[in-house]
Amino acid sequence: MRFADIIGHQDAKEKLRHLVHRDRVPHAMILLAKQGSGGLPLALAYMSYIFCLDRTTEDSCGQCSACNKTHKFIHPDVHFSFPVVKFGSLERSNVTSDQWLPTFRTAVQETPYMTMSKWTGLMDAGDTQPNINVKECNDIRTKLGMMTYESDKKFLIMWLPEYLGNEGNRLLKLIEEPTDNTYIVLVAENQDRILKTILSRCQTIPIKPLQATEIAAYLESNYEVPAHQAVQIANLAQGDLQDAIDMCTGDEIEYSDQLINWLRTCYALDPSKINDQIQSIAKYGKNEQRNFLEYTIHFLRQFIFWDVTKQDVPLTEKEMDVARKLTSIINIDKAERISNLINDAVYYLQRNANVRILLYADSISIGRILREK
């Protein structure tokens, strides 16, 4: 992967390039990036840039022998570590990233902005909590203590060090006193879940979330999503490109039309019409149901901000037209109460509540809120 393949993050790219140009590459670094915003792609591009035999001031060449291997994640001097679960008939204590590496390589090539939920799905983890175990830590020390094979550098990318637990203390000496030309990049999403002993020994580079405009442009260009829908999805994704991709590759849903129809039906308080409306929402897959409800929360929050400040908000013109129409029946208090109801609905939906019963009850409650004087 090259820097050019990553959308946005110009400041982060420049900082990483600068470290290489000035020969100040830290031996241990944490790239701290929100889920789905590009922490892993940045680490991969940075690694390729360091190994490239003919890099430019901007990027790896993508053609040299080193690039041919780093871009396929098969360079013998590059090692990967990530949370895993049991593999085949092996005891869990004996399973490391090595067993799952072919699956990981394929997953990252196809989905570079991969989230933990997607990864656990690929491993068919079920309710099992992935982790990075003792054997993995010992193997890392062995691998990085060996001589190099093809280059003068050794590199470790650990995705989600939050899953290390106390086993991470086994890596402290390696992180603090690595062998020459050994580089460790930890790609993290939650700084609070990383061992403080590790945090204190690494240089942390925070990565800003992707902008909604960057995500929207990417969806329009790569997934042929209509502009207004791309903006809706990008606002809803809140910097998570993978979440945005998942939303736009599902069934196409015009959320704003669905929302206004639902609110009108709620206001009418006609049980038969409410039931028909709920049936139309229930036909969506679970992800689409969640996306619609989260879109409703997002819309109501933007509505509240706009109603209070009269400032521009990240809503399309069509959505703003809906917002203006709603001012006759919704005020700030009502919008907040409805938003709280929907937020609870998302929570229960994720725990396999019956969507028809859940939304029917909420529709009645929303209708009563809308009718209050």
Side-chain angles (χ1 to χ4, degrees), residues 229-241:
Q229 189 179 13
V231 172
Q232 284 183 352
I233 293 173
N235 288 334
L236 185 57
Q238 298 182 354
D240 186 337
L241 179 60

Side-chain angles (χ1 to χ4, degrees), residues 31-316:
L31 290 181
L32 188 61
K34 179 182 175 181
Q35 173 181 285
S37 63
L40 183 56
L42 280 168
L44 295 170
Y46 176 59
M47 174 268 294
S48 294
Y49 193 58
I50 287 176
F51 278 87
C52 181
L53 303 177
D54 192 25
R55 62 173 173 257
T56 67
T57 57
E58 296 297 316
D59 218 334
S60 55
C61 71
Q63 298 178 344
C64 69
S65 59
C67 282
N68 285 333
K69 293 179 180 178
T70 58
H71 290 186
K72 296 176 183 176
F73 319 134
I74 57 174
H75 195 292
D77 296 316
V78 177
H79 308 284
F80 295 93
S81 177
F82 40 85
V84 297
V85 295
K86 192 175 184 302
F87 184 89
S89 60
L90 290 174
E91 293 291 331
R92 175 64 189 91
S93 59
N94 290 323
V95 177
T96 68
S97 300
D98 288 345
Q99 285 76 41
W100 286 103
L101 187 55
T103 304
F104 184 79
R105 285 184 181 130
T106 301
V108 175
Q109 286 173 339
E110 295 177 353
T111 316
Y113 291 80
M114 180 173 63
T115 61
M116 187 57 180
S117 61
K118 277 195 168 296
W119 177 233
T120 54
L122 289 171
M123 292 190 294
D124 197 20
D127 295 330
T128 304
Q129 179 74 358
N131 72 335
I132 300 173
N133 62 17
V134 172
K135 180 171 173 47
E136 176 89 356
C137 294
N138 292 336
D139 284 0
I140 288 172
R141 291 191 301 182
T142 300
K143 290 173 181 176
L144 295 185
M146 296 173 66
M147 295 182 63
T148 58
Y149 287 89
E150 291 188 4
S151 70
D152 59 346
K153 297 175 281 290
K154 288 171 285 186
F155 207 101
L156 170 71
I157 294 179
M158 178 179 284
W159 183 52
L160 300 180
E162 298 95 316
Y163 289 82
L164 266 171
N166 290 328
E167 286 78 6
N169 286 316
R170 296 171 181 266
L171 301 176
L172 295 182
K173 184 173 178 60
L174 175 65
I175 292 173
E176 192 167 21
E177 300 175 7
T179 55
D180 291 341
N181 294 328
T182 298
Y183 305 104
I184 299 171
V185 176
L186 310 180
V187 182
E189 296 173 357
N190 188 339
Q191 182 172 314
D192 294 337
R193 291 180 55 196
I194 302 174
L195 289 174
K196 290 182 172 55
T197 48
I198 289 180
L199 276 173
S200 64
R201 289 166 170 79
C202 298
Q203 177 179 330
T204 300
I205 297 181
I207 308 299
K208 297 178 182 178
L210 289 169
Q211 298 297 310
T213 52
E214 294 171 328
I215 293 178
Y218 180 85
L219 297 180
E220 285 187 66
S221 174
N222 292 272
Y223 292 90
E224 298 182 354
V225 179
H228 72 282
Q229 189 179 13
V231 172
Q232 284 183 352
I233 293 173
N235 288 334
L236 185 57
Q238 298 182 354
D240 186 337
L241 179 60
Q242 187 57 55
D243 194 26
I245 292 172
D246 290 343
M247 282 189 269
C248 76
T249 53
D251 295 333
E252 289 192 12
I253 300 169
E254 181 49 73
Y255 293 122
S256 57
D257 286 347
Q258 182 70 66
L259 174 58
I260 193 66
N261 289 335
W262 186 33
L263 292 177
R264 284 170 176 165
T265 303
C266 292
Y267 183 81
L269 274 179
D270 183 322
S272 177
K273 291 181 179 179
I274 289 176
N275 185 63
D276 290 342
Q277 185 69 36
I278 298 308
Q279 292 299 328
S280 69
I281 298 174
K283 289 179 182 178
Y284 303 152
K286 181 173 285 189
N287 286 337
E288 286 75 21
Q289 293 166 6
R290 176 182 64 85
N291 292 340
F292 169 65
L293 294 178
E294 290 187 345
Y295 167 77
T296 301
I297 295 170
H298 163 77
F299 175 87
L300 290 172
R301 287 174 179 168
Q302 298 303 327
F303 172 85
I304 291 170
F305 184 81
W306 168 75
D307 199 32
V308 170
T309 66
K310 302 305 179 186
Q311 296 180 12
D312 291 337
V313 291
L315 295 176
T316 66

